[in-house]
PDB file of all heavy atoms in Angstrom:
ATOM      1  N   VAL I  12      29.834  32.575   3.797  1.00 82.00           N
ATOM      2  CA  VAL I  12      30.709  31.528   3.269  1.00 82.00           C
ATOM      3  C   VAL I  12      32.089  32.091   2.939  1.00 82.00           C
ATOM      4  O   VAL I  12      33.117  31.503   3.284  1.00 82.00           O
ATOM      5  CB  VAL I  12      30.074  30.871   2.015  1.00 82.00           C
ATOM      6  CG1 VAL I  12      31.090  30.014   1.270  1.00 82.00           C
ATOM      7  CG2 VAL I  12      28.870  30.025   2.424  1.00 82.00           C
ATOM      8  N   ARG I  16      35.623  31.011   4.665  1.00 83.00           N
ATOM      9  CA  ARG I  16      36.729  30.498   3.846  1.00 83.00           C
ATOM     10  C   ARG I  16      38.017  31.270   4.133  1.00 83.00           C
ATOM     11  O   ARG I  16      39.091  30.687   4.264  1.00 83.00           O
ATOM     12  CB  ARG I  16      36.373  30.604   2.361  1.00 83.00           C
ATOM     13  CG  ARG I  16      35.314  29.627   1.906  1.00 83.00           C
ATOM     14  CD  ARG I  16      34.957  29.831   0.437  1.00 83.00           C
ATOM     15  NE  ARG I  16      33.877  28.944   0.021  1.00 83.00           N
ATOM     16  CZ  ARG I  16      33.334  28.946  -1.190  1.00 83.00           C
ATOM     17  NH1 ARG I  16      33.770  29.803  -2.106  1.00 83.00           N
ATOM     18  NH2 ARG I  16      32.345  28.115  -1.485  1.00 83.00           N
ATOM     19  N   HIS I  62      39.000  17.438   3.930  1.00 98.00           N
ATOM     20  CA  HIS I  62      38.855  18.470   4.949  1.00 98.00           C
ATOM     21  C   HIS I  62      37.400  18.722   5.321  1.00 98.00           C
ATOM     22  O   HIS I  62      36.469  18.421   4.563  1.00 98.00           O
ATOM     23  CB  HIS I  62      39.513  19.772   4.493  1.00 98.00           C
ATOM     24  CG  HIS I  62      38.866  20.411   3.304  1.00 98.00           C
ATOM     25  ND1 HIS I  62      37.670  21.099   3.387  1.00 98.00           N
ATOM     26  CD2 HIS I  62      39.240  20.483   1.989  1.00 98.00           C
ATOM     27  CE1 HIS I  62      37.340  21.564   2.192  1.00 98.00           C
ATOM     28  NE2 HIS I  62      38.266  21.200   1.324  1.00 98.00           N
ATOM     29  N   GLY I  63      37.193  19.307   6.501  1.00 97.00           N
ATOM     30  CA  GLY I  63      35.863  19.693   6.951  1.00 97.00           C
ATOM     31  C   GLY I  63      35.446  21.027   6.371  1.00 97.00           C
ATOM     32  O   GLY I  63      36.177  21.660   5.619  1.00 97.00           O
ATOM     33  N   GLY I  64      34.237  21.473   6.747  1.00 96.00           N
ATOM     34  CA  GLY I  64      33.726  22.752   6.265  1.00 96.00           C
ATOM     35  C   GLY I  64      32.337  22.675   5.663  1.00 96.00           C
ATOM     36  O   GLY I  64      31.920  23.575   4.933  1.00 96.00           O
ATOM     37  N   VAL I  65      31.606  21.599   5.957  1.00 96.00           N
ATOM     38  CA  VAL I  65      30.235  21.413   5.483  1.00 96.00           C
ATOM     39  C   VAL I  65      30.135  21.589   3.973  1.00 96.00           C
ATOM     40  O   VAL I  65      29.158  22.123   3.457  1.00 96.00           O
ATOM     41  CB  VAL I  65      29.249  22.367   6.205  1.00 96.00           C
ATOM     42  CG1 VAL I  65      27.834  21.777   6.174  1.00 96.00           C
ATOM     43  CG2 VAL I  65      29.652  22.634   7.631  1.00 96.00           C
ATOM     44  N   GLY I  66      31.160  21.176   3.257  1.00 96.00           N
ATOM     45  CA  GLY I  66      31.140  21.236   1.801  1.00 96.00           C
ATOM     46  C   GLY I  66      31.161  22.618   1.219  1.00 96.00           C
ATOM     47  O   GLY I  66      31.095  22.791   0.000  1.00 96.00           O
ATOM     48  N   GLN I  67      31.304  23.662   2.083  1.00 96.00           N
ATOM     49  CA  GLN I  67      31.198  25.046   1.622  1.00 96.00           C
ATOM     50  C   GLN I  67      32.449  25.873   1.901  1.00 96.00           C
ATOM     51  O   GLN I  67      32.682  26.877   1.236  1.00 96.00           O
ATOM     52  CB  GLN I  67      29.994  25.716   2.305  1.00 96.00           C
ATOM     53  CG  GLN I  67      28.677  25.031   1.995  1.00 96.00           C
ATOM     54  CD  GLN I  67      27.609  25.368   3.016  1.00 96.00           C
ATOM     55  OE1 GLN I  67      26.973  26.420   2.926  1.00 96.00           O
ATOM     56  NE2 GLN I  67      27.404  24.505   3.999  1.00 96.00           N
ATOM     57  N   PHE I  68      33.218  25.488   2.913  1.00 95.00           N
ATOM     58  CA  PHE I  68      34.471  26.180   3.200  1.00 95.00           C
ATOM     59  C   PHE I  68      35.508  25.151   3.640  1.00 95.00           C
ATOM     60  O   PHE I  68      35.241  23.951   3.632  1.00 95.00           O
ATOM     61  CB  PHE I  68      34.280  27.291   4.250  1.00 95.00           C
ATOM     62  CG  PHE I  68      33.390  26.937   5.406  1.00 95.00           C
ATOM     63  CD1 PHE I  68      33.902  26.411   6.571  1.00 95.00           C
ATOM     64  CD2 PHE I  68      32.016  27.126   5.319  1.00 95.00           C
ATOM     65  CE1 PHE I  68      33.081  26.084   7.634  1.00 95.00           C
ATOM     66  CE2 PHE I  68      31.180  26.804   6.379  1.00 95.00           C
ATOM     67  CZ  PHE I  68      31.717  26.279   7.549  1.00 95.00           C
ATOM     68  N   GLY I  69      36.710  25.622   4.000  1.00 96.00           N
ATOM     69  CA  GLY I  69      37.827  24.695   4.171  1.00 96.00           C
ATOM     70  C   GLY I  69      38.551  24.544   2.845  1.00 96.00           C
ATOM     71  O   GLY I  69      37.985  24.806   1.772  1.00 96.00           O
ATOM     72  N   SER I  70      39.805  24.129   2.906  1.00 97.00           N
ATOM     73  CA  SER I  70      40.610  24.040   1.685  1.00 97.00           C
ATOM     74  C   SER I  70      41.889  23.275   1.969  1.00 97.00           C
ATOM     75  O   SER I  70      42.209  22.962   3.127  1.00 97.00           O
ATOM     76  CB  SER I  70      40.970  25.444   1.185  1.00 97.00           C
ATOM     77  OG  SER I  70      41.813  26.098   2.130  1.00 97.00           O
ATOM     78  N   GLY I  93      41.422  18.771  -2.640  1.00 98.00           N
ATOM     79  CA  GLY I  93      40.750  20.072  -2.739  1.00 98.00           C
ATOM     80  C   GLY I  93      39.472  19.961  -3.541  1.00 98.00           C
ATOM     81  O   GLY I  93      39.349  20.534  -4.637  1.00 98.00           O
ATOM     82  N   TYR I  94      38.522  19.219  -2.995  1.00 98.00           N
ATOM     83  CA  TYR I  94      37.258  19.032  -3.702  1.00 98.00           C
ATOM     84  C   TYR I  94      36.536  20.368  -3.895  1.00 98.00           C
ATOM     85  O   TYR I  94      36.708  21.309  -3.128  1.00 98.00           O
ATOM     86  CB  TYR I  94      36.368  18.029  -2.966  1.00 98.00           C
ATOM     87  CG  TYR I  94      36.051  18.384  -1.524  1.00 98.00           C
ATOM     88  CD1 TYR I  94      34.989  19.220  -1.197  1.00 98.00           C
ATOM     89  CD2 TYR I  94      36.808  17.853  -0.471  1.00 98.00           C
ATOM     90  CE1 TYR I  94      34.687  19.529   0.115  1.00 98.00           C
ATOM     91  CE2 TYR I  94      36.513  18.157   0.853  1.00 98.00           C
ATOM     92  CZ  TYR I  94      35.454  18.991   1.136  1.00 98.00           C
ATOM     93  OH  TYR I  94      35.156  19.306   2.443  1.00 98.00           O
ATOM     94  N   ARG I  95      35.739  20.439  -4.943  1.00 98.00           N
ATOM     95  CA  ARG I  95      35.033  21.675  -5.267  1.00 98.00           C
ATOM     96  C   ARG I  95      33.923  21.940  -4.252  1.00 98.00           C
ATOM     97  O   ARG I  95      33.293  21.007  -3.760  1.00 98.00           O
ATOM     98  CB  ARG I  95      34.480  21.591  -6.689  1.00 98.00           C
ATOM     99  CG  ARG I  95      35.578  21.580  -7.747  1.00 98.00           C
ATOM    100  CD  ARG I  95      35.036  21.249  -9.121  1.00 98.00           C
ATOM    101  NE  ARG I  95      34.581  19.861  -9.207  1.00 98.00           N
ATOM    102  CZ  ARG I  95      34.017  19.329 -10.291  1.00 98.00           C
ATOM    103  NH1 ARG I  95      33.820  20.093 -11.372  1.00 98.00           N
ATOM    104  NH2 ARG I  95      33.641  18.061 -10.290  1.00 98.00           N
ATOM    105  N   LEU I  96      33.703  23.217  -3.963  1.00 97.00           N
ATOM    106  CA  LEU I  96      32.820  23.606  -2.870  1.00 97.00           C
ATOM    107  C   LEU I  96      31.457  24.096  -3.355  1.00 97.00           C
ATOM    108  O   LEU I  96      31.319  24.648  -4.445  1.00 97.00           O
ATOM    109  CB  LEU I  96      33.485  24.714  -2.044  1.00 97.00           C
ATOM    110  CG  LEU I  96      34.838  24.367  -1.396  1.00 97.00           C
ATOM    111  CD1 LEU I  96      35.423  25.605  -0.729  1.00 97.00           C
ATOM    112  CD2 LEU I  96      34.686  23.237  -0.387  1.00 97.00           C
ATOM    113  N   ALA I  97      30.467  23.898  -2.478  1.00 96.00           N
ATOM    114  CA  ALA I  97      29.149  24.500  -2.672  1.00 96.00           C
ATOM    115  C   ALA I  97      29.200  25.946  -2.153  1.00 96.00           C
ATOM    116  O   ALA I  97      30.045  26.266  -1.314  1.00 96.00           O
ATOM    117  CB  ALA I  97      28.105  23.690  -1.899  1.00 96.00           C
ATOM    118  N   PRO I  98      28.367  26.844  -2.616  1.00 94.00           N
ATOM    119  CA  PRO I  98      27.267  26.611  -3.562  1.00 94.00           C
ATOM    120  C   PRO I  98      27.674  26.648  -5.025  1.00 94.00           C
ATOM    121  O   PRO I  98      26.853  26.358  -5.897  1.00 94.00           O
ATOM    122  CB  PRO I  98      26.318  27.768  -3.245  1.00 94.00           C
ATOM    123  CG  PRO I  98      27.230  28.891  -2.834  1.00 94.00           C
ATOM    124  CD  PRO I  98      28.345  28.228  -2.079  1.00 94.00           C
ATOM    125  N   GLU I  99      28.936  27.014  -5.314  1.00 95.00           N
ATOM    126  CA  GLU I  99      29.354  27.090  -6.722  1.00 95.00           C
ATOM    127  C   GLU I  99      29.202  25.735  -7.414  1.00 95.00           C
ATOM    128  O   GLU I  99      28.846  25.653  -8.595  1.00 95.00           O
ATOM    129  CB  GLU I  99      30.805  27.559  -6.828  1.00 95.00           C
ATOM    130  CG  GLU I  99      31.041  28.979  -6.336  1.00 95.00           C
ATOM    131  CD  GLU I  99      31.398  29.047  -4.869  1.00 95.00           C
ATOM    132  OE1 GLU I  99      31.042  28.113  -4.111  1.00 95.00           O
ATOM    133  OE2 GLU I  99      32.047  30.025  -4.454  1.00 95.00           O
ATOM    134  N   TYR I 100      29.500  24.678  -6.662  1.00 97.00           N
ATOM    135  CA  TYR I 100      29.375  23.318  -7.197  1.00 97.00           C
ATOM    136  C   TYR I 100      28.431  22.541  -6.273  1.00 97.00           C
ATOM    137  O   TYR I 100      28.823  22.139  -5.178  1.00 97.00           O
ATOM    138  CB  TYR I 100      30.744  22.644  -7.282  1.00 97.00           C
ATOM    139  CG  TYR I 100      31.686  23.348  -8.221  1.00 97.00           C
ATOM    140  CD1 TYR I 100      32.564  24.329  -7.749  1.00 97.00           C
ATOM    141  CD2 TYR I 100      31.676  23.064  -9.584  1.00 97.00           C
ATOM    142  CE1 TYR I 100      33.417  24.997  -8.620  1.00 97.00           C
ATOM    143  CE2 TYR I 100      32.524  23.730 -10.460  1.00 97.00           C
ATOM    144  CZ  TYR I 100      33.392  24.690  -9.966  1.00 97.00           C
ATOM    145  OH  TYR I 100      34.227  25.352 -10.828  1.00 97.00           O
ATOM    146  N   PRO I 101      27.202  22.346  -6.691  1.00 96.00           N
ATOM    147  CA  PRO I 101      26.176  21.777  -5.809  1.00 96.00           C
ATOM    148  C   PRO I 101      26.504  20.358  -5.343  1.00 96.00           C
ATOM    149  O   PRO I 101      27.187  19.585  -6.027  1.00 96.00           O
ATOM    150  CB  PRO I 101      24.908  21.791  -6.676  1.00 96.00           C
ATOM    151  CG  PRO I 101      25.187  22.765  -7.766  1.00 96.00           C
ATOM    152  CD  PRO I 101      26.662  22.689  -8.012  1.00 96.00           C
ATOM    153  N   THR I 104      28.643  17.027  -5.592  1.00 98.00           N
ATOM    154  CA  THR I 104      29.944  17.183  -6.249  1.00 98.00           C
ATOM    155  C   THR I 104      31.086  16.866  -5.293  1.00 98.00           C
ATOM    156  O   THR I 104      32.088  16.244  -5.687  1.00 98.00           O
ATOM    157  CB  THR I 104      30.106  18.628  -6.766  1.00 98.00           C
ATOM    158  OG1 THR I 104      29.073  18.914  -7.696  1.00 98.00           O
ATOM    159  CG2 THR I 104      31.459  18.833  -7.421  1.00 98.00           C
ATOM    160  N   GLN I 105      30.963  17.266  -4.039  1.00 98.00           N
ATOM    161  CA  GLN I 105      32.032  17.101  -3.058  1.00 98.00           C
ATOM    162  C   GLN I 105      32.349  15.614  -2.842  1.00 98.00           C
ATOM    163  O   GLN I 105      33.518  15.212  -2.873  1.00 98.00           O
ATOM    164  CB  GLN I 105      31.639  17.773  -1.731  1.00 98.00           C
ATOM    165  CG  GLN I 105      31.413  19.271  -1.836  1.00 98.00           C
ATOM    166  CD  GLN I 105      30.165  19.664  -2.631  1.00 98.00           C
ATOM    167  OE1 GLN I 105      29.138  18.982  -2.585  1.00 98.00           O
ATOM    168  NE2 GLN I 105      30.260  20.767  -3.368  1.00 98.00           N
ATOM    169  N   ASP I 108      33.878  14.147  -6.128  1.00 98.00           N
ATOM    170  CA  ASP I 108      35.286  14.511  -6.312  1.00 98.00           C
ATOM    171  C   ASP I 108      36.198  13.659  -5.440  1.00 98.00           C
ATOM    172  O   ASP I 108      37.264  13.194  -5.882  1.00 98.00           O
ATOM    173  CB  ASP I 108      35.497  15.990  -5.963  1.00 98.00           C
ATOM    174  CG  ASP I 108      35.054  16.929  -7.077  1.00 98.00           C
ATOM    175  OD1 ASP I 108      34.583  16.437  -8.126  1.00 98.00           O
ATOM    176  OD2 ASP I 108      35.180  18.159  -6.898  1.00 98.00           O
ATOM    177  N   TYR I 199      24.133  23.618   2.539  1.00 96.00           N
ATOM    178  CA  TYR I 199      24.953  22.715   1.726  1.00 96.00           C
ATOM    179  C   TYR I 199      24.117  22.100   0.611  1.00 96.00           C
ATOM    180  O   TYR I 199      24.574  21.970  -0.536  1.00 96.00           O
ATOM    181  CB  TYR I 199      25.515  21.638   2.659  1.00 96.00           C
ATOM    182  CG  TYR I 199      26.442  20.622   2.054  1.00 96.00           C
ATOM    183  CD1 TYR I 199      27.140  20.841   0.866  1.00 96.00           C
ATOM    184  CD2 TYR I 199      26.663  19.402   2.703  1.00 96.00           C
ATOM    185  CE1 TYR I 199      28.005  19.898   0.345  1.00 96.00           C
ATOM    186  CE2 TYR I 199      27.532  18.453   2.199  1.00 96.00           C
ATOM    187  CZ  TYR I 199      28.186  18.698   1.017  1.00 96.00           C
ATOM    188  OH  TYR I 199      29.046  17.758   0.506  1.00 96.00           O
TER     189      TYR I 199
END
Side-chain angles (χ1 to χ4, degrees):
V12 167
R16 289 177 184 177
H62 65 76
V65 205
Q67 300 160 82
F68 42 92
S70 65
Y94 57 86
R95 292 170 291 178
L96 300 175
E99 295 91 336
Y100 297 93
T104 300
Q105 298 69 35
D108 281 0
Y199 182 21

